[in-house]
Amino acid sequence: MIFAIDDTFTKELPADPITINQVRQVADCCYSYVDPTPCVAPSMIHVSPDMMDKLGITAEDTKDPSFVKLMSGNEVPQGCFPYAMCYGGHQFGSWAGQLGDGRAINLFETVVNGRRWALQLKGAGLTPYSRSADGLAVLRSSVREYLCSEAMYFLGVPTTRALSLVQTGDMVLRDVMYDGHPAYEKGAIVCRVAPTFIRFGNFQILAARGETKNLKALTDYTLKHFFPELGPPSKETYIRFFESVAQKTIDMIVHWQRVGFVHGVMNTDNMSILGLTIDYGPYGWLENYDPGWTPNTTDAHGKRYRFGNQPAISSWNLYQLANALYPLIEEAKPLEDIIHSLQDRYESAYREMMKKKLGFTTSFDEEKGLIASLEELLHSSEMDMTLFFRTLSDFDKGNDTTFVEKLSGMSYSKSFDQFIPAWKEWLDRYNQLLLLHADPHKKALMDSVNPKYVLRNYMAQIAIDAADKGDYSFIEEFYTLLQKPYDEQPEYQRWFALRPEWAEHKIGCSMLSCSS
Ligand code: AMP
Ligand code: MG
């Protein structure tokens, strides 16, 4: 075994006394022991070099046959006691009761260079929390999670990580668009890695069931291991804990808005207590800048999880977390005060972030108006978000005419010309403000927050289509490219381009269901 196991979650928190792997309501505990279901013929598709490094394992280690066995759940090493966590959650605004790790099985925790990591397999079979589903994951969604979670890390966005992507050799039945056309797809397992996978929903289920003792145990555990700076457990510490989670969550959302990431399913069971992006399902990346866009077809009607609504939804989710922590605090006012401060906190963090995207680090009167008018124009003229911001660092007064011409090549609008006067006006105003307030290192600053490369929706689909045929070269190429999203990497220039027309209405490129 290449890892030194150092479990705390299972050592310090109560386990489900029942060890039969049967779907059920699991009360009075935080998790259930359950072994992964062996798969037929696991083969390794990709291993994250950066995550290997973080975990202190070598390329040699990953080539040992025991590694793929471990990463597929086919071998449970000595001293490893796999388990699934119990959590609940609000899905699309309604309380859904017990959810839990329906297809994620935690292997163990390990501490490397002073950092604690938990490893879990997503798609390794049924657990007591699988409800009516199969506990498996398909190659399509696993490629998406593997590449995107790693890409987000390299973008500087707080996120869970991925160590490996394994093909299981099993076939999995999925009805991709939920329209009565189920088909078999290749199965896969991602080994996800994070300091902890505890979600808002872990607290919620205990509060909903009135299990205050377990709620306190889980909160104290979380404080001890992940928020030690807040001090020993007390009512005041619990309030500070909520405030800290709120701040981390806001920081994460500001990053999402910065890079144009739309999570797609911001249910409270998909909110990490550490403010990490977690559960990559029907997520998407903004192409044409549209605050109303959601990649998730299940959400197409209400668009609850649209790009522009992510900040408001994160506040709504934090409100649910506050309700869950209330039994430990028994005083609403301090929690309400924090809730009421969320919008202001978000808005000021968002404005600072947007200013950096534009090359400013000081405050000035017109900043709010400049940002608002830009957002409007980006939206109406259907500008590609990534192309626009990355190219903007090359703009100056001397090249404004050619710059406007450049803009037409970054827009999806069929009638871009009508927006030229408005763009000229905006650029004029921008230029005047740059002359007065630009950061002395404007270009370097802008290029450090405006990525050149993100995992565009159609890129993920290209990697999936090839992988489905056994060709993993795009996974390799995108992993390499997305390790340095802020570097020019001219050899990869073809990925710094508008979405191709074929991808506009292709399933998987602009529309995704929760089917995974
Ligand atoms: P999600 O919307 O993917 O975050 O999932 C919501 C809940 O459904 C979680 O409890 C998941 O573990 C569970 N779930 C999703 N897909 C499956 C599956 N194929 N098998 C078992 N449980 C699943
Ligand atoms: Mg989930």
Side-chain angles (χ1 to χ4, degrees), residues 87 199 269-270 279:
Y87 55 79
R199 304 140 187 268
D269 54 305
N270 290 339
D279 275 12

Side-chain angles (χ1 to χ4, degrees), residues 224-241:
K224 174 179 160 192
H225 292 285
F226 306 105
F227 296 81
E229 69 283 3
L230 300 182
S234 70
K235 185 173 132 177
E236 286 67 37
T237 307
Y238 297 141
I239 295 166
R240 282 201 299 276
F241 169 56

Side-chain angles (χ1 to χ4, degrees), residues 87 91 99-100 102-103 130-131 133-136 174 269-270 279:
Y87 55 79
Q91 297 186 314
L99 297 166
R103 57 165 165 180
S130 298
R131 297 180 294 157
D134 57 10
L136 304 174
R174 287 289 180 274
D269 54 305
N270 290 339
D279 275 12

Side-chain angles (χ1 to χ4, degrees), residues 54 133 181 207 257 310 329-330 340 369 392 404 419 421 509:
K54 295 264 177 340
H181 295 91
Q257 306 307 102
Q310 297 190 125
I329 297 164
E330 293 187 312
H340 291 145
L392 190 63
V404 173
F419 301 104
C509 294

Side-chain angles (χ1 to χ4, degrees), residues 5 7 10 16 18-22 24 31-39 69-85 101-108 119-130 134-136 189:
I5 297 179
D7 287 336
T10 48
D16 176 4
I18 304 170
T19 51
I20 304 165
N21 189 6
Q22 213 168 51
R24 61 181 184 273
Y31 60 94
S32 307
Y33 285 111
V34 57
D35 279 339
T37 305
C39 50
K69 285 184 193 156
L70 179 65
M71 294 293 104
S72 61
N74 272 15
E75 200 169 87
V76 175
Q78 230 191 353
C80 170
F81 304 99
Y83 61 98
M85 286 186 185
D101 286 330
R103 57 165 165 180
I105 297 185
N106 299 272
L107 292 178
F108 52 80
L119 277 70
Q120 72 169 211
L121 304 180
K122 183 169 178 178
L126 292 170
T127 78
Y129 309 96
S130 298
D134 57 10
L136 304 174
I189 294 174

Side-chain angles (χ1 to χ4, degrees), residues 385-405:
M385 182 180 177
T386 307
L387 293 183
F388 172 80
F389 279 105
R390 184 65 185 196
T391 311
L392 190 63
S393 65
D394 291 331
F395 166 78
D396 62 53
K397 185 60 193 161
N399 65 10
D400 61 347
T401 312
T402 47
F403 193 81
V404 173
E405 276 165 26

